[in-house]
Amino acid sequence: MRNNKNQKSQWQPATMTIHGGKQPDQHGALVAPLYQTATFAFNTTAEGSARFAGEESGYIYSRLGNPTTNELEARVAQLEGFPAGAACATGMGAVSAAMLAFLQQGDHVVVADAIYGCSFALFSHLFKKFGIEVEFVDMTDAENVRGAMRDNTKMVFIETPANPHLKIIDIAAVAAIAHERQARVIVDNTFMTPLLQQPRKQGADLVIHSATKFLNGHGDVVAGLICGSAEDIEMIKSTTLKDMGATMSPHDAWLILRGLKTLDVRMERHCQNAVKVAEYLVQQPFVRDVYFPGLPDHPAQRLMGTQMHGSGAVIAFELHGDSQDAQRLLDYLELITIAVSLGDAETLIQHPASMTHSPYSAEARARAGISETLIRIAVGLEAADDIINDLAQAFAKTFVIDNTKEQQQGETVSYG
Ligand code: 4LM
């Protein structure tokens, strides 16, 4: 058997996604075996007891650990530059397990104001119910975080680029402020992946992912991951994951291991396609604003090359018109699928105000700038021209056929 290859930290990310953290197999299997088992047999009662007591290493039960999920944890943690990882049933399972392991009644958390809708619901409803206070602030100005910090602030939660309209937060600036008060900084890195952003380098203590998205990349799994120090991950695994139980199934871990191998090539194509789609969208007369980190005037450019190493593939755009125009535009699409989620081979489009961000109250949505005419497109891996042509025909049907709209707009519109 050849040596374990997971020590080559000098490998580039493209190589790491294929070989990093790979465990040697007794039969020499090229691909990580799938240990599709709920439980593990003990040779003797003494062996079982010793494993439960932590006196002997070895597997016990798949909620507590499984070789396939452990391999995925090691591989994603390596990509993120952390010593350890924990696999979770969903991205929301990762957010809640990572935070609740370190929080208790009376604690205070500072959270970015625009985040995924269910994270918002978790913080604004469920946390409140358990006596954890949450303050939402616009972290695009790190000084707002300083203003929100209190003696009982235990965690600062960041999403950057943020869902849905790609607001950018300077992780290093926020982390410096949080660490002055010994608060843990947790970054949701779902939109970037570790190939485009490694928040640990900017001071994050924990990084979480909805692995449902780019990490898996094939739209057939819901899953989450947490990366952190060995102590923090042990704390999460032995409390919120073990006892609340939102752990990942070995089969899902196996599918994500398969997806990871192509992460680098997929991200390259995702980013290239997204740039083309964003460049098309900025030319459209009925598009008022395009939010995309790859555009030259996007605030992300200030952090390109330091915090971020690519644009990602999620674009949000604001239409002239009203929510019905937004709805009609989506309904006219033929290739692009109306669906929530992102990071799949298929280009997906959705209406945040009525879909992913419907858990926000109307006032909270308005405060976070999530309007009725905002549309989010998660650019997939199809030929960019086909994606653009589909948008073009849908724009034409939505706006040109409706002469009244055209007159209101007062311009001649050409869709190319
Ligand atoms: C969506 N997002 O936006 P699970 N963190 C971020 C996310 O975007 C999501 C989660 C966590 C969408 C799902 C419907 C930044 C999810 C939660 O769905 O629990 O794996 O991830 O379309």
Side-chain angles (χ1 to χ4, degrees):
M1 197 186 302
R2 290 180 64 192
N3 287 339
N4 185 338
K5 296 182 178 178
N6 67 2
Q7 301 307 323
K8 305 272 176 63
S9 55
Q10 75 275 22
W11 278 333
Q12 293 188 25
T15 311
M16 292 283 282
T17 57
I18 300 167
H19 295 282
K22 196 167 177 174
Q23 299 299 317
D25 174 65
Q26 56 175 330
H27 302 295
L30 176 68
V31 171
L34 167 55
Y35 287 90
Q36 186 70 33
T37 182
T39 197
F40 296 82
F42 309 129
N43 287 311
T44 61
T45 314
E47 184 182 73
S49 311
R51 285 190 192 175
F52 269 94
E55 292 158 0
E56 196 178 282
S57 62
Y59 291 98
I60 297 173
Y61 185 66
S62 279
R63 174 160 45 78
L64 314 180
N66 171 287
T68 312
T69 50
N70 282 9
E71 176 146 351
L72 176 67
E73 290 166 348
R75 295 180 84 161
V76 175
Q78 266 198 4
L79 286 171
E80 282 288 1
F82 277 103
C88 308
T90 64
M92 287 315 302
V95 175
S96 52
M99 297 192 73
L100 290 174
F102 301 103
L103 294 172
Q104 61 184 24
Q105 189 177 15
D107 286 345
H108 176 250
V109 182
V110 178
V111 176
D113 60 350
I115 52 172
Y116 171 53
C118 292
S119 298
F120 180 83
L122 172 73
F123 300 142
S124 54
H125 306 305
L126 269 175
F127 274 26
K128 208 177 256 174
K129 199 168 139 187
F130 294 104
I132 298 164
E133 287 180 88
V134 180
E135 198 160 335
F136 294 95
V137 300
D138 178 359
M139 292 192 190
T140 53
D141 179 355
E143 286 308 307
N144 292 338
V145 177
R146 191 185 301 282
M149 296 298 287
R150 298 194 206 151
D151 290 344
N152 60 339
T153 306
K154 294 287 162 50
M155 288 186 117
V156 173
F157 182 90
I158 299 173
E159 238 185 62
T160 181
N163 194 348
H165 43 18
L166 294 306
K167 272 172 131 182
I168 300 293
I169 297 166
D170 183 335
I171 300 170
V174 171
I177 294 166
H179 289 157
E180 281 171 19
R181 304 274 198 128
Q182 281 78 49
R184 271 190 180 75
V185 174
I186 172 163
V187 177
D188 184 332
N189 202 23
T190 299
F191 273 37
M192 285 277 96
T193 83
L195 298 190
L196 304 184
Q197 179 168 277
Q198 289 177 305
R200 189 187 189 196
K201 292 185 177 155
Q202 275 71 46
D205 302 293
L206 290 162
V207 168
I208 72 109
H209 281 276
S210 169
T212 314
K213 314 295 176 348
F214 294 105
L215 293 187
N216 179 55
H218 292 75
D220 46 15
V221 160
V222 279
L225 274 142
I226 310 168
C227 302
S229 68
E231 301 74 39
D232 280 358
I233 294 297
E234 179 52 29
M235 177 70 166
I236 293 164
K237 281 190 168 182
S238 61
T239 58
T240 43
L241 271 186
K242 175 172 80 68
D243 298 333
M244 291 167 84
T247 46
M248 190 187 290
S249 97
H251 186 244
D252 288 350
W254 187 84
L255 285 169
I256 300 167
L257 281 167
R258 182 165 72 164
L260 265 189
K261 289 192 195 186
T262 55
L263 183 63
D264 186 70
V265 283
R266 285 189 286 109
M267 289 316 290
E268 199 176 315
R269 177 69 168 266
H270 272 302
C271 293
Q272 284 167 0
N273 275 359
V275 167
K276 290 180 188 162
V277 171
E279 284 171 351
Y280 164 79
L281 286 170
V282 291
Q283 312 273 331
Q284 301 316 304
F286 288 102
V287 173
R288 206 179 69 212
D289 280 307
V290 178
Y291 308 109
F292 177 60
L295 290 174
D297 57 350
H298 193 275
Q301 292 302 325
R302 195 172 62 80
L303 297 170
M304 269 309 165
T306 50
Q307 176 173 305
M308 299 168 69
H309 301 280
S311 60
V314 182
I315 304 169
F317 59 97
E318 194 85 58
L319 287 181
H320 285 295
D322 54 30
S323 62
Q324 294 205 330
D325 293 316
Q327 216 172 72
R328 287 190 307 152
L329 179 73
L330 266 58
D331 288 341
Y332 280 129
L333 290 164
E334 292 168 0
L335 170 70
I336 299 169
T337 306
I338 308 169
V340 296
S341 206
L342 53 114
D344 290 331
E346 295 83 357
T347 297
L348 305 179
I349 200 162
Q350 64 110 6
H351 180 240
S354 65
M355 296 179 187
T356 50
H357 290 70
S358 57
Y360 276 66
S361 66
E363 300 78 59
R365 257 201 314 275
R367 263 199 312 279
I370 303 164
S371 77
E372 291 294 321
T373 52
L374 186 75
I375 293 172
R376 191 193 76 187
I377 179 164
V379 180
L381 302 177
E382 304 95 337
D385 285 350
D386 289 332
I387 303 168
I388 290 168
N389 287 339
D390 194 32
L391 285 167
Q393 65 81 23
F395 271 116
K397 286 180 184 149
T398 307
F399 291 109
V400 178
I401 292 170
D402 184 342
N403 289 327
T404 343
K405 280 265 180 293
E406 199 176 340
Q407 277 155 17
Q408 278 169 4
Q409 198 65 23
E411 358 181 346
T412 313
V413 183
S414 106
Y415 293 89

